[in-house]
Amino acid sequence: MRVWPGRPYPQGAMWDGEGVNFALFSENATAVELCLFDHEHQDQESHRIRMEECTDLVWHVYLPEVRPGQLYGYRVHGPYEPQAGHRFNPSKLLIDPYAKALTGVVKWSDAMFGYRIGDPKEDLSFDERNNAGNVPKCVVIDQAFTWGGDQLLNTPWSKTVIYEVHVKGFTMRHPDVPEQLRGTYAGLASPPMIDYLQSLGVTAVELLPIHHFVNDQYLTEKGLTNYWGYNSIGFFAPDIRYSSFPEQGRKVYEFKTMVKTLHSAGIEVILDVVYNHTGEGNHLGPTLCFRGVDNAAYYRLVPHKERYYMDYTGCGNTLNVRHPRTLQLIMDSLRYWVLEMHVDGFRFDLASALARELHDVDRLSAFFDIIHQDPVLSQVKLIAEPWDLGEGGYQVGNFPPGWAEWNGKYRDTIRSYWKGDGGVLGEMAHRLSGSSDLYSASGRQPYASINFVTAHDGFTLHDLVSYNHKHNSANGEDNRDGHDHNLSWNCGVEGPTDDPQINEVREKQKRNFLATLLLSQGVPMISGGDELGRTQQGNNNAYCQDNEVSWFDWTLTKNNQHLLEFTKRLIQLKTNHPVFQRRRFFQGRRIQGSEVKDISWFHADGKEMMDEEWGKGFRSLGLRLSGDAIEEVDAKGCAIYDDTFLLLLNAYHEPISFTLPAHKKGVRWELIFDTSLAECNKRGPLHKGGEEYHLGERTCALLRLMPGGERRG
């Protein structure tokens, strides 16, 4: 086979129409071998090519006879000195950190570890067994794809409604998705799923991790799997397990087709990405990729004890974003998914871990700086999970401009309020109005707050109102995993019940949560299936349940039709009315040309709340959003006007009579919905200002101002 010197950039395997250039960074390696494999014999390489060229710490070679579909991996030579941070072992075939596609999954055996399992010296020992038959092979791909006119949708943040969903779980049991496509990228892009998302009204899907990941050995031994996928090993490769066309590089084509199809339906694609750690675990973990390529460069090691890893993630290791090549890897990966795969944004798992320059979380770290100045990444949606598991890792509200955040304080406050806790009304007002206390000081706007009540991690909405405690025994950890607290009120009855009264109260609580979520200022995120009453039978940590516990039960669309239609209506209210999607924070004052404030807060007696009253333990609240006082303009400079709405909230265990504010002379309030009503999707009667409205216990209602008492569309 002919061998040419090649070039050091770009890293990975790059087909140029004539041959393939291979490039691999390793700062501390003494030699690198490129191993080629035939599809029929993947336990032994057909060619082993020593890479003689090394430029700027990148080893490279060009093979003019290689074509797309070629399988390959690396063997990297260097010191095996764990106490100095080096773990080179050329007996172990390694995955290319820049691989665009992989052939399969890790097959666990003792040969997957760089040390001898069972040796008293543990990882200080050295294992010489060849693991080639157990490692996924990298695949050279042809990047060509007919995108046509497809481009990023750039849906404004203020108009965004996010739907968090798992590729497999969403489609696995849908009766109208062809069986061979269920659980795959193609299944997600199939007409039944596109129709459902469009009918729901969401503008973006946030996909749980689709980067190729490692299924943990301890889970495999229990007969379980890492269903969520927060254990990445390939930051450029779509996971093969979600592909209906896994051969060679076709999974990349399938993923691109999914993105293009969703874009054609007006739906953005946001990826949940895990750059804070990898699937290689702690010092006793396997040697799969980064550890064998250059352990000291890719990982944060304990100073003066380099055998061990800094663990801000709870997963055994933390990527070393202080190293320029590791930072380059992350940036190259992000740009690849935007430029080549056309995704619209990212949600960064445990994002605080990426911001740690030394130990403390630094909002001005190199990671933030380089993204902020990047002409590609600074223009897509960037969402932080603003915490990690290290000291000082909880950073809600502290990320820089350009970033949105999962607002954990929103989740906790809304749950606490509807549970009936006293003393939270002031914070509830902040969360409903966009969390200016968290974001305004840094120059950000309400849409910096990604509002959510539930997410993949924790109870589903149905379980939140149905269980007092977690029921995670199926996870094989004696119910010790997951947080055992429920910040919702669930009638004191655990789990399913035949009591119709209790079930109706639970349904009302679901409606309360959804109404609060979708009518708050900021960007709502719905946990996929909550609109259907999806349950995990009380499991609040279903990360390892790749089965009916996690998969959508689509028969719920018939059994929970009222809840589904109510959710659709709420999303329509959110997206059709600018007053619910403000781009600026409220001022709490009268706007020029208007007789009323842009936002007003009311007691049940119809009088405005006084500053000193917020901490008095009230559990009911009225919120008026004045559509004639929106201090914004559209793209052409025209003033934006809307209807005026009144949102009434009562978390108390008894009903109250709420006096409706007059607002203006001669107007009426039209009931849009009341969550205590079984037919809450139907509009109700008109009410005069000054009249009393009967607001049931643990109920919310929305009314719209009708000038002159006339109904509008």
Side-chain angles (χ1 to χ4, degrees), residues 585-597:
F585 288 111
F586 292 102
Q587 301 299 311
R589 58 181 174 81
R590 289 178 174 82
I591 307 302
Q592 185 176 3
S594 174
E595 300 178 17
V596 297
K597 297 178 182 178

Side-chain angles (χ1 to χ4, degrees), residues 209-214 229-235 272-275 277-280 290 299:
I210 55 83
H211 287 171
H212 199 96
F213 66 90
V214 177
Y230 289 90
N231 210 26
S232 300
I233 201 65
F235 294 127
D272 195 334
V273 290
V274 189
Y275 293 112
H277 76 281
T278 78
E280 292 185 301
F290 307 94
Y299 290 117

Side-chain angles (χ1 to χ4, degrees), residues 13 55 80 94 232 242 340 344 393 579 586 590 634 656 699:
T55 304
Y80 187 81
L94 303 175
S232 300
Y242 306 141
E340 295 292 341
D344 301 271
V579 76
F586 292 102
R590 289 178 174 82
D634 62 19
I656 63 170
T699 295

Side-chain angles (χ1 to χ4, degrees), residues 164 208 228 230 385 406 411 415 452-465 467 469-472 475 481-487 527-528 530 534-543 549-550:
E164 187 198 32
L208 267 67
W228 286 350
Y230 289 90
E385 182 184 35
W406 269 27
R411 172 199 58 202
R415 289 187 179 190
F452 67 106
V453 174
T454 59
H456 69 275
D457 187 2
F459 284 117
T460 66
L461 182 60
H462 177 85
D463 292 355
L464 182 68
V465 303
Y467 291 88
H469 303 287
K470 63 185 181 179
H471 294 266
N472 299 354
N475 296 353
D481 62 303
H483 298 292
D484 194 16
H485 64 272
N486 185 350
L487 291 176
S527 182
D530 279 353
R534 189 176 75 86
T535 178
Q536 294 174 172
Q537 292 85 54
N539 192 322
N540 71 353
N541 189 33
Y543 77 102
V549 171
S550 298

